[in-house]
Amino acid sequence: MPKSKDQFSVDFAQTVSQRNRKVKETRIPLPKLPKGKLSIQDQWSSLIWNIDTAEAHGKRALNGLTLALARIIQAAILESLIQDVRVPNQALDSPDLLLWDDRLPIMEDGSTMRQLLRARRRTSSQELMCTAVIPKPWEPWRLARSLENLGPGGKWKEWCQTENFHAIGWTPWPIVWVDNGNHSTMAAMLTHGGRFKVSECYDAKELLFKVYSEGTNWLRVDDDKVIAPVNSLPMAGIFEIGRRLVKAPKKTI
């Protein structure tokens, strides 16, 4: 017999109640934060809560949070470019600036960031809008030219990868550091996207096992010595997500 309207309503209410109870049970308690302006450590606590929450939901949520944090970095690059037209631009837009100087030792044996990145033979195609792409445009005039000419209806048509484009990918996220074709890449990201393949790709797993952050500094895992101060909280968050993706030992607060 088909269910009555009343029975259907009861069953629906029970289903919703069970679903809400399950969601409530899996929620991670919020960190205790003060009223008013948050300190860097308070912001880091909030960021770690978001990473813990994404990790509880799964890999897709961690990847999505990586994109959200990359958007913050991209916005800071644009803010610096648009609100300060001096050349060269001083935005945080490279591994040396967003992470730390790659000549600094991060292990007792003197190993550096560059030495711990392992070259990968294979690379895969990615979408600009779905990847943590970090371009470094330096001249507002060039960006304006790209915005005028790129995209549907523009003289240059939609963005597509050319010999002028050079980018380096890091897994497991992936993060993509653009070396050449910076203005057109940023314009495409702002307006219509596009598909690309990195010129080189490196596995950062070993690096992720050797370094961690507590929000204020980059620290060595082997002895907890400070490598350098954190210049970008979003980048520190992306790095921590990478550690979760490869299941590096947790050393955060």
Side-chain angles (χ1 to χ4, degrees):
M1 269 181 80
K3 292 182 180 180
S4 67
K5 186 176 180 180
D6 289 343
Q7 184 60 47
F8 179 82
S9 298
V10 169
D11 291 347
F12 179 75
Q14 289 176 343
T15 301
V16 171
S17 177
Q18 290 171 357
R19 186 184 303 156
N20 289 342
R21 185 163 59 249
K22 185 177 180 180
V23 169
K24 186 175 181 180
E25 288 171 354
T26 57
R27 282 181 184 268
I28 297 170
L30 288 167
K32 293 182 179 179
L33 300 173
K35 293 182 179 180
K37 187 176 181 180
L38 299 182
S39 67
I40 294 297
Q41 277 307 126
D42 292 329
Q43 293 175 50
W44 180 248
S45 296
S46 293
L47 182 45
I48 289 297
W49 181 89
N50 277 284
I51 294 172
D52 289 342
T53 298
E55 185 177 32
H57 281 81
K59 185 178 178 180
R60 283 173 56 86
L62 281 173
N63 290 338
L65 185 57
T66 298
L67 288 178
L69 292 169
R71 297 288 186 270
I72 298 173
I73 294 171
Q74 293 161 5
I77 292 170
L78 284 169
E79 180 181 27
S80 178
L81 185 71
I82 293 169
Q83 296 182 185
D84 184 352
V85 296
R86 291 173 293 182
V87 178
N89 188 258
Q90 301 298 314
L92 302 180
D93 55 14
S94 65
D96 274 3
L97 297 173
L98 285 166
L99 293 167
W100 60 86
D101 187 331
D102 67 6
R103 295 169 296 182
L104 293 173
I106 56 178
M107 293 177 63
E108 286 186 358
D109 64 6
S111 296
T112 64
M113 179 199 304
R114 187 175 299 178
Q115 291 170 333
L116 291 180
L117 293 170
R118 304 302 179 199
R120 291 171 59 100
R121 291 184 180 180
R122 295 183 179 180
T123 60
S124 58
S125 295
Q126 306 286 341
E127 292 285 346
L128 280 176
M129 307 300 283
C130 302
T131 311
V133 180
I134 303 176
K136 41 179 180 282
W138 70 90
E139 190 176 88
W141 186 89
R142 288 175 180 248
L143 180 63
R145 181 181 61 176
S146 293
L147 289 170
E148 167 65 19
N149 292 295
L150 271 175
K155 185 167 62 175
W156 298 346
K157 310 298 181 184
E158 294 187 11
W159 182 90
C160 61
Q161 187 170 352
T162 65
E163 292 181 358
N164 183 53
F165 178 82
H166 186 277
I168 298 171
W170 287 9
T171 61
W173 299 272
I175 303 171
V176 174
W177 309 95
V178 180
D179 282 339
N180 208 30
N182 291 283
H183 298 88
S184 59
T185 303
M186 179 63 88
M189 289 166 57
L190 289 171
T191 57
H192 61 284
R195 195 162 187 81
F196 70 97
K197 193 171 185 178
V198 295
S199 311
E200 305 170 51
C201 190
Y202 294 88
D203 185 346
K205 182 176 181 178
E206 194 170 347
L207 177 66
L208 292 164
F209 273 88
K210 302 303 181 184
V211 178
Y212 74 101
S213 177
E214 30 67 295
T216 304
N217 295 298
W218 296 104
L219 301 149
R220 291 168 26 165
V221 168
D222 57 7
D223 56 14
D224 293 322
K225 286 184 178 178
V226 173
I227 299 169
V230 168
N231 293 323
S232 168
L233 214 58
M235 190 67 237
I238 290 175
F239 195 89
E240 176 60 24
I241 289 173
R243 287 171 48 80
R244 306 293 180 94
L245 290 171
V246 300
K247 301 300 181 184
K250 289 187 180 182
K251 295 191 79 171
T252 59
I253 59 172

